[in-house]
Amino acid sequence: MTDRPLTELGVVETAEAVRRGRLRAEEVTRAHLDRIAAVDGRIRAFLHVTGEAALARAREIDEAVRRGADPGPLAGVPVAVKDNICTRGVPTTAASRMLQGFVPPYDATVIERLNAAGAIIIGKTNLDEFAMGSSTEHSAFQVTANPWDESRVPGGSSGGSAAAVAAGEAPAALGTDTGGSIRLPAAFCGVTGLKPTYGRVSRYGAIAFASSLDQIGPFARDARDTARLLAVLAGYDQRDSTSAQEPTADYEGALTGDVRGLKIGLPAEYFGEGVDSRVAQAVREAVAVLKDAGAQVVEVSLPYTSYTLPVYHLVATAEASSNLARYDGVRYGHRTSRRVTSHGDLIARSRGEGFGPEVKLRIILGTFALSAGYYDQYYGKAQQVRRLIKDDFERVLAQVDLLATPTAPTVAFPIGERADDPMAMYMADICTTGANLAGLPALSIPCGFLDGLPVGLQLIGRPFDEATLLRAADAYQRLTDHHLRRPALAAAGAAGGGA
Amino acid sequence: MSTPVTAGTAVERPYEIVVGLEVHVELTTESKIFCSCPTRFGAEPNSQVCPVCLGLPGTLPVLNRRALEQAVRAALALNCRIQPVAKFDRKNYHYPDLVKGYQISQYDLPVGYEGWLEVGDPANPRRIRIRRVHLEEDTGKSLHDQAPGASVVDYNRSGIPLLEIVSEPDIRSAEEARDYLMHLRQVMLYTGVSDARMEEGSLRVDCNVSVRPRGSDVFGTITEIKNLNSFRSVVRAIEYEAQRQWEVLSAGGTLRRETRHWDERREVTVALRRKEEAHDYRYFPDPDLLPVPLPADWVEEIRASLPELPGARRRRYVLDLDLSVRDADTLVGDPGLAGYFEDLLAAGAEARAAASWVLTQVLAWLNAQGAGIDAFPVPPARLARLLRLVDEGTISMTAAKDVFEEMVRTGAEPDAVVEARGLRQISDQAALLEIVDRVLAANPQPVADYRAGRQQALGFLVGQVMKETRGRANPQLVNDLLRQRLSSDG
């Protein structure tokens, strides 16, 4: 049906072709499995590939189409899933030795929704252990390479998912975003990544890092594909008390290409110290494109921005210290093989062996922030400032429809550069943690290249107004072609990108 | 001063016991507090579990509204004030039976607070204040004797809704502690929130005990006693621990704030761990559970739906119906029996007679059958009729007991039995006088004895008359007639 390789097709293209019987899910799946076999030895995006199970599932989809049934809006679309999202019968490790060999007996709500929409889970992708990191270097199993430059990180923590989509190993992927873990790798890998509003997508089945910040969200190659995925993922789930009853929108229908009258705010604090001036410039130029298309652009201020990173690290580590307490070697996961003398000894040794250094660092910090005598000073204070940060955003978003900022202060950095310097690593998140603390939707799209590496534009919107974010992103992508560029790695196996 | 070696009575003791109780009660909901697993007691180990109550990665708790309602119900019945929102916190600690490494509980905002429960004589009750009532999840159960050299855990209990009820240190004796527990248990039964069975662990008690010299108003060092399996062990443990503390203090020693284990077999408390070494639980609000509003009108609906509570019932029985405290306690302590008693009253029975019948004849039958009141075959209205026959003098008490036997056996109507067996009491003066005179004539010696001042001879003569009438004579009337004859014919 097309002159392009099947691994170049997007979500909407693939699903519509499969639904109409013009393309078989099995051939789509096989093409992606072949692609994974060809390139993943270098990219190392996947921790587990479902292979035969994915093909069997694809044949079911094809059979349904033959019967005249509609397999759903994601018919035959291979989806890569971050390995901290539970998949029934498929290993789920959170890239931690602690969960090596763990096979969940249940599916996360998002997996159920993907399956019900006809998607095909093609594999589980690498991440920083328990989603703690910004480079995917903290995985206990492997380091994922950036498809644009294999000596560089893909960003994190959902680096495997972003790299898989960028490398043509899957047209779509799921990630989780606690402080930027979808947006940062989307920026570094030149794909579209959306962190929905807190409560928009059920967290049931996502291995918790920081419960009040975590959200599951999609990766794809453009805003339209992202909108299709969000429509499947979003909605109330009675298994997650924090999921919202708020109705979902017609996300694809919102993609009118029209941004006339849209008010975009540029928060000064996101363009100053710590942000590469060339990145800031690329973002300003992207905003200028939208302005030329009829959007209004105004300078705004978020005075509490400098507190977002410290507040984020207090809240996230405190919650993580409790969320990760269940990994004790008693019921599942890693248990020490050394002789133990007591319950306490069993738990301490199992955790000591099972967790990597970054996870331990954060558990220790979080435990400290919650301890008697320090709670008010740290966790309690952080919650108060979190409120102020939220108020900041609320005030500004009453004046503008969305905010535009860099997603990351730099482009992808070299593997190993920051691995042993937590503070340098944490700086990668300075532009993204605010949306998590405020619970706001935010996405990242590619808006240019520096030295051959993608630059990310972040759009932050009002609560539950993902539609406006996607409309702006789609309008931008209609006017530009950054999202159509593929890394050389991909070009080697493809006949050149279509337009 | 000399140190008393054995526990004396409260009066002789030179010290006062100060006790506060922490009671855990399992709520009788169909499903667990944060998942839909069943809560049946005694099921095959690890057969009532799911990913949520096993705390598997990625799972999330969803509050069972029924458990919250039960908690509010219990808190209201304990005269508590109710928070405007139910907020849940995480209590962080590691233990193999705790699946998430934290227990979901309530920290700074317990669902109920500032309540009280009255104990003692209803005419002059003592009010034990209740500091807080909070809702939490139960843990699994570690079993140390199932496999050699290993501990195993049954997680069926993990996630059963649990109410923690903490009293102020207002209890002043071991007996009062038992009294408080008895009343607390009754409140749980009456409100239907728990079956409160200590032997099954659905009611568990920790005691905070200290002593101080009589007359002092300063609190002493507290020890906490765990592993109490019955009301009796609560009493024994408090008695033992108070005496132990007093002996330490009397010998010039100092007490440590610690947790102690009640050794049921040796009847002693043993130090378990120092309180200073206790965990820092690092409580913080559970981000997985949003606070749930408890609207005032909803709370008032629950309050209005509460039955008459055991405290009010006890007060009514003693103060209005003139029952003894003992009888009132026995009735109130068995809601089924009390219900039957209430039905007798409703059918017109006189309260004291009704209580007496229920607590002797009815209870004796139930005990003999090993049955509950539900299995008792005589409907309350029919028993009330029997009581009326006695009250009106139609049959004697002795006859009534025979009729009762037959009613229980055959389900017959009391009037029918009385007629069929000719048990109607002889209250006809003329007829009785004839028999009285015959008995007097036939027993000259007892007559002489009575006239010589030996009162007990009268009893013999009454007995003879009753014998002549096969028990049908009205005993009061026989008494009167005999006295009359014996004095006039003197």
Side-chain angles (χ1 to χ4, degrees):
Chain A
M1 67 148 274
T2 170
D3 53 346
R4 289 185 293 150
L6 298 179
T7 55
E8 290 280 302
L9 301 185
V11 171
V12 173
E13 280 178 292
T14 302
E16 294 313 314
V18 169
R19 278 170 134 175
R20 286 171 177 75
R22 281 192 251 143
L23 192 59
R24 284 185 303 110
E26 186 178 358
E27 54 184 329
V28 175
T29 304
R30 199 175 292 283
H32 285 92
L33 290 174
D34 289 347
R35 177 74 177 167
I36 292 169
V39 304
D40 208 55
R42 288 151 63 192
I43 302 301
R44 297 177 297 277
F46 285 87
L47 292 175
H48 180 88
V49 178
T50 51
E52 277 308 315
L55 288 169
R57 166 87 179 126
R59 285 190 285 271
E60 280 174 27
I61 303 283
D62 291 332
E63 177 53 34
V65 172
R66 262 197 300 277
R67 281 199 318 266
D70 180 3
L74 297 178
V77 176
V79 179
V81 176
K82 189 179 184 181
D83 205 30
N84 64 346
I85 296 173
C86 288
T87 39
R88 184 167 41 134
V90 178
T92 301
T93 66
S96 178
R97 217 180 309 284
M98 186 54 97
L99 281 176
Q100 197 162 16
F102 175 68
V103 180
Y106 67 99
D107 274 328
T109 297
V110 288
I111 300 298
E112 287 183 354
R113 285 175 172 258
L114 287 178
N115 283 331
I120 292 161
I121 308 302
I122 197 164
K124 303 298 291 289
T125 58
N126 198 22
L127 63 148
D128 288 295
E129 184 178 0
F130 284 103
M132 295 177 182
S134 308
S135 69
T136 312
E137 291 167 285
H138 294 311
S139 166
F141 305 123
Q142 64 198 34
V143 173
T144 299
N146 189 316
W148 293 92
D149 176 347
E150 291 166 40
S151 72
R152 290 179 185 259
V153 302
S157 64
S158 313
S161 287
V165 172
E169 296 172 287
L174 292 187
T176 61
D177 189 316
T178 306
S181 282
I182 289 174
R183 293 158 286 158
L184 182 69
F188 280 10
C189 292
V191 298
T192 300
L194 170 68
K195 180 202 91 75
T197 310
Y198 186 78
R200 179 69 296 166
V201 174
S202 169
R203 292 186 295 118
Y204 186 82
I207 295 180
F209 162 11
S211 314
S212 74
L213 302 165
D214 296 344
Q215 265 294 285
I216 294 173
F219 289 94
R221 296 196 198 104
D222 62 33
R224 179 166 298 275
D225 285 358
T226 305
R228 168 84 42 117
L229 290 162
L230 179 63
V232 168
L233 301 174
Y236 174 69
D237 176 16
Q238 60 174 15
R239 287 175 294 191
D240 176 1
S241 309
T242 64
S243 87
Q245 307 258 10
E246 188 84 15
T248 56
D250 176 2
Y251 300 111
E252 270 182 87
L255 308 181
T256 59
D258 185 359
V259 291
R260 281 173 299 171
L262 191 72
K263 281 183 90 172
I264 300 174
L266 295 180
E269 292 81 0
Y270 283 73
F271 292 85
E273 201 190 339
V275 177
D276 184 329
S277 60
R278 296 177 305 159
V279 167
Q281 186 54 33
V283 169
R284 286 186 189 281
E285 284 167 13
V287 172
V289 170
L290 291 170
K291 189 176 179 185
D292 289 346
Q296 283 176 261
V297 178
V298 294
E299 297 277 335
V300 296
S301 176
L302 293 164
Y304 283 98
T305 299
S306 62
Y307 294 101
T308 54
L309 209 51
V311 166
Y312 166 77
H313 276 281
L314 282 168
V315 172
T317 58
E319 293 180 8
S321 72
S322 176
N323 282 331
L324 271 61
R326 70 189 62 195
Y327 308 109
D328 57 8
V330 174
R331 291 160 302 280
Y332 52 82
H334 178 76
R335 180 189 289 197
T336 185
S337 54
R338 298 180 61 168
R339 179 194 285 279
V340 295
T341 54
S342 65
H343 296 139
D345 194 26
L346 169 76
I347 292 171
R349 284 190 187 278
S350 298
R351 288 167 68 79
E353 295 164 6
F355 289 136
E358 180 66 21
V359 171
K360 287 179 187 167
L361 173 67
R362 298 204 194 195
I363 289 173
I364 291 167
L365 286 173
T367 302
F368 178 72
L370 287 175
S371 37
Y374 295 99
Y375 182 95
D376 290 343
Q377 196 176 336
Y378 293 115
Y379 188 74
K381 183 64 76 182
Q383 289 294 13
Q384 289 171 338
V385 181
R386 181 179 184 177
R387 179 74 243 177
L388 296 173
I389 291 167
K390 205 171 173 180
D391 291 348
D392 243 8
F393 277 106
E394 255 171 45
R395 183 179 46 76
V396 168
L397 286 168
Q399 301 155 26
V400 298
D401 298 306
L402 53 85
L403 299 167
T405 77
T407 306
T410 64
V411 292
F413 46 85
I415 290 171
E417 184 188 82
R418 303 185 187 183
D420 300 321
D421 185 349
M423 288 312 290
M425 186 72 86
Y426 297 167
M427 289 309 287
D429 299 328
I430 53 171
C431 299
T432 47
T433 54
N436 298 87
L437 290 170
L440 301 172
L443 59 73
S444 178
I445 52 173
C447 70
F449 288 79
L450 286 177
D451 309 327
L453 295 168
V455 176
L457 162 70
Q458 174 176 235
L459 301 177
I460 303 173
R462 294 179 182 138
F464 302 104
D465 192 13
E466 285 82 359
T468 298
L469 291 184
L470 290 165
R471 173 161 63 97
D474 172 65
Y476 177 79
Q477 288 174 338
R478 291 182 191 213
L479 297 166
T480 57
D481 64 359
H482 306 298
H483 63 291
L484 298 176
R485 286 183 61 178
R486 300 284 176 264
L489 178 84
Chain B
M1 65 174 287
S2 68
T3 305
V5 183
T6 53
T9 66
V11 191
E12 316 165 357
R13 279 188 189 124
Y15 61 89
E16 180 175 58
I17 299 178
V18 176
V19 174
L21 295 178
E22 285 179 28
V23 178
H24 285 93
V25 172
E26 282 183 354
L27 298 178
T28 47
T29 47
E30 290 285 311
S31 54
K32 293 185 177 182
I33 183 168
F34 296 122
C35 65
S36 54
C37 284
T39 56
R40 205 159 38 83
F41 178 80
E44 181 75 10
N46 296 312
S47 65
Q48 295 180 162
V49 294
C50 73
V52 175
C53 60
L54 285 176
L56 293 191
T59 57
L60 294 170
V62 175
L63 179 64
N64 174 350
R65 298 299 296 245
R66 183 77 186 140
L68 183 58
E69 187 189 321
Q70 297 275 49
V72 169
R73 197 170 164 78
L76 286 171
L78 294 170
N79 306 293
C80 285
R81 300 174 64 185
I82 305 296
Q83 296 287 353
V85 292
K87 166 183 171 269
F88 292 90
D89 302 280
R90 292 185 183 179
K91 178 181 183 179
N92 295 284
Y93 67 98
H94 280 296
Y95 204 73
D97 63 19
L98 186 66
V99 297
K100 299 188 293 298
Y102 59 84
Q103 179 188 28
I104 303 176
S105 181
Q106 296 189 298
Y107 180 51
D108 54 341
L109 300 175
V111 64
Y113 60 104
E114 292 178 11
W116 48 265
L117 191 58
E118 282 182 349
V119 299
D121 182 351
N124 185 23
R126 287 229 325 126
R127 190 170 277 197
I128 308 300
R129 290 171 301 157
I130 289 169
R131 183 183 298 167
R132 56 184 288 148
V133 173
H134 77 247
L135 186 57
E136 61 189 21
E137 57 180 342
D138 207 344
T139 64
K141 208 166 163 183
S142 297
L143 307 165
H144 303 293
D145 52 359
Q146 305 283 305
S151 290
V152 294
V153 192
D154 176 8
Y155 292 107
N156 283 350
R157 207 178 68 176
S158 174
I160 297 225
L162 202 58
L163 212 55
E164 179 172 321
I165 301 160
V166 183
S167 85
E168 295 288 349
D170 289 350
I171 296 165
R172 291 293 173 268
S173 69
E175 293 73 24
E176 193 164 76
R178 176 171 47 197
D179 206 20
Y180 170 86
L181 289 173
M182 184 185 83
H183 289 82
L184 185 65
R185 180 170 188 276
Q186 288 170 4
V187 170
M188 298 302 126
L189 295 179
Y190 273 62
T191 50
V193 304
S194 176
D195 55 16
R197 293 194 179 119
M198 216 163 168
E199 68 280 9
E200 289 183 4
S202 60
L203 186 151
R204 308 197 279 272
V205 182
D206 297 336
C207 290
N208 287 308
V209 179
S210 66
V211 296
R212 61 186 177 191
R214 278 203 176 276
S216 165
D217 58 0
V218 180
F219 288 119
T221 300
I222 296 168
T223 59
E224 184 186 13
I225 312 175
K226 290 188 174 290
N227 190 43
L228 299 163
N229 301 322
S230 64
F231 285 7
R232 180 180 173 279
S233 55
V234 169
V235 171
R236 303 285 295 168
I238 292 173
E239 294 278 4
Y240 173 87
E241 179 60 16
Q243 184 65 24
R244 185 195 69 84
Q245 289 185 8
W246 185 250
E247 286 173 17
V248 170
L249 294 175
S250 302
T254 51
L255 293 165
R256 280 197 308 235
R257 193 175 162 83
E258 63 190 1
T259 300
R260 298 180 69 86
H261 178 90
W262 172 245
D263 184 328
E264 185 73 46
R265 197 177 51 78
R266 290 160 57 214
E267 298 213 321
V268 295
T269 64
V270 185
L272 206 60
R273 64 163 184 260
R274 300 271 291 272
K275 269 288 180 187
E276 300 91 282
E277 298 163 6
H279 299 280
D280 171 2
Y281 290 117
R282 306 189 314 279
Y283 283 100
F284 75 106
D286 191 335
D288 288 331
L289 291 161
L290 303 178
V292 180
L294 304 175
D297 53 349
W298 180 73
V299 171
E300 288 315 309
E301 254 174 57
I302 296 174
R303 194 195 304 276
S305 75
L306 289 175
E308 181 185 39
L309 293 170
R313 180 167 276 184
R314 180 178 297 100
R315 206 158 47 238
R316 179 163 62 87
Y317 285 0
V318 173
L319 302 182
D320 300 348
L321 303 184
D322 204 22
L323 305 190
S324 70
V325 172
R326 191 192 159 88
D327 284 357
D329 274 346
T330 311
L331 280 174
V332 171
D334 185 334
L337 216 53
Y340 191 86
F341 170 70
E342 292 288 334
D343 290 343
L344 285 178
L345 297 185
E350 190 273 322
R352 284 167 54 116
S356 163
W357 272 84
V358 169
L359 294 174
T360 51
Q361 268 70 33
V362 176
L363 201 54
W365 186 87
L366 295 178
N367 288 343
Q369 304 289 315
I373 190 72
D374 293 344
F376 187 62
V378 180
R382 215 169 269 189
L383 183 58
R385 173 63 190 158
L386 179 64
L387 267 58
R388 175 161 295 268
L389 292 176
V390 176
D391 192 41
E392 286 168 347
T394 308
I395 56 173
S396 69
M397 184 57 105
T398 315
K401 287 174 185 167
D402 291 343
V403 175
F404 177 81
E405 292 296 327
E406 186 159 340
M407 287 167 70
V408 169
R409 211 171 49 247
T410 67
E413 289 277 0
D415 292 276
V417 179
V418 168
E419 289 311 320
R421 294 171 55 173
L423 294 175
R424 190 169 286 276
Q425 195 161 251
I426 303 170
S427 299
D428 176 344
Q429 276 215 32
L432 275 183
L433 257 182
E434 204 176 295
I435 299 163
V436 162
D437 287 340
R438 205 158 62 226
V439 166
L440 290 176
N443 295 285
Q445 190 55 46
V447 169
D449 288 350
Y450 181 80
R451 287 190 168 134
R454 254 167 289 179
Q455 293 288 319
Q456 59 268 47
L458 185 66
F460 174 80
L461 294 169
V462 171
Q464 291 305 305
V465 176
M466 295 307 283
K467 195 173 165 191
E468 287 279 317
T469 60
R470 286 181 293 122
R472 288 158 59 219
N474 180 334
Q476 193 53 50
L477 193 54
V478 172
N479 254 291
D480 292 348
L481 292 174
L482 276 171
R483 282 177 199 281
Q484 195 183 325
R485 275 293 198 253
L486 288 167
S487 59
S488 64
D489 286 359

